[in-house]
């Protein structure tokens, strides 16, 4: 048996009640259609199959689904208080100089003004400067090009979060 097949969180996801699995998947991605697609393909033989289902579901998101998914993400540099996942993913901003944080806030606002949603980037492992540079660069994109970049970034985020879900020990009641 491979490690992914014995992943405790994956075993839980495969066997949990739909409402419990739905709640857990909502922590990964807020798009209802994504959650529905991932739920419908249970049970998963391994983490790779779960990630493939996620990629398919993310690729199939329409404009409303993408908007719903993005609404579940706080702006870069401003994770929701008490949201350990966003704080961990955005830790590259935590120690940034105040000037860079202020510039990121301005870039977030300009981005939201232009595209109508938060600047979404898979921030895991990126420095504050890399996130700032990406925001600067992506402001020049067309809405169509940016939508596909957002889809790719969302896919990366979903994969990281799902991998964590699959590997962690389920909480005992």
């Amino acid at each position: 048996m491979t490690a992914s097949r014995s992943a405790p969180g994956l075993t839980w996801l495969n066997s949990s009640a739909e409402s419990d699995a739905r709640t857990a998947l909502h922590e990964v991605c807020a798009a209802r259609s994504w959650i529905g697609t991932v739920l419908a393909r249970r049970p998963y033989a391994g983490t790779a199959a779960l990630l493939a289902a996620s990629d398919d579901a993310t690729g199939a998101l329409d404009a409303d689904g993408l908007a719903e998914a993005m609404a579940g993400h706080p702006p870069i540099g401003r994770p929701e208080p008490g949201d350990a996942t966003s704080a961990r993913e955005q830790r590259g901003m935590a120690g940034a100089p105040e000037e860079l944080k202020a510039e990121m806030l301005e870039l977030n606002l300009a981005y939201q003004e232009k595209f109508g949603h938060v600047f979404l980037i898979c921030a895991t492992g990126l420095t504050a400067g890399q996130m700032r540079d990406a925001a600067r660069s992506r402001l020049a994109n067309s809405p169509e090009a940016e939508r596909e970049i957002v889809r790719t970034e969302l896919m990366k985020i979903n994969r990281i979060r799902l991998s964590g879900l699959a590997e962690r020990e389920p909480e005992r009641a």
Side-chain angles (χ1 to χ4, degrees):
M1 186 175 275
T2 66
S4 64
R5 288 182 185 225
S6 62
L10 182 60
T11 300
W12 174 86
L13 182 65
N14 281 336
S15 62
S16 66
E18 183 174 324
S19 62
D20 293 337
R22 184 175 297 282
T23 298
L25 290 171
H26 187 269
E27 294 298 317
V28 173
C29 181
R32 288 175 296 205
S33 62
W34 180 90
I35 294 167
T37 298
V38 173
L39 278 174
R41 289 176 57 178
R42 291 188 307 168
Y44 292 98
T47 303
L50 175 62
L51 298 179
S54 173
D55 290 350
D56 290 348
T58 305
L61 289 174
D62 61 13
D64 290 340
L66 275 174
E68 191 175 25
M70 287 183 288
H73 290 270
I76 294 293
R78 296 187 327 213
E80 294 290 327
D83 183 350
T85 301
S86 290
R88 182 180 62 253
E89 291 170 348
Q90 295 188 30
R91 74 174 146 240
M93 287 299 295
E98 290 307 313
E99 310 83 52
L100 196 149
K101 288 180 181 179
E103 183 179 3
M104 195 67 213
L105 175 61
E106 289 177 21
L107 288 166
N108 276 325
L109 293 172
Y111 182 97
Q112 192 156 357
E113 174 81 19
K114 179 173 181 177
F115 296 111
H117 56 79
V118 298
F119 170 68
L120 188 72
I121 187 168
C122 182
T124 301
L126 297 181
T127 66
Q130 289 170 317
M131 288 182 257
R132 178 209 50 218
D133 293 348
R136 279 183 187 161
S137 171
R138 287 172 51 188
L139 273 168
N141 289 338
S142 69
E144 297 77 20
E146 189 57 23
R147 184 172 35 258
E148 292 314 307
I149 292 170
V150 164
R151 185 183 307 280
T152 300
E153 294 299 312
L154 180 63
M155 199 173 290
K156 292 179 204 175
I157 293 165
N158 290 350
R159 286 179 141 262
I160 290 168
R161 290 180 175 185
L162 271 179
S163 294
L165 174 66
E167 294 301 322
R168 77 174 173 241
E169 287 289 334
E171 295 177 13
R172 303 283 178 213

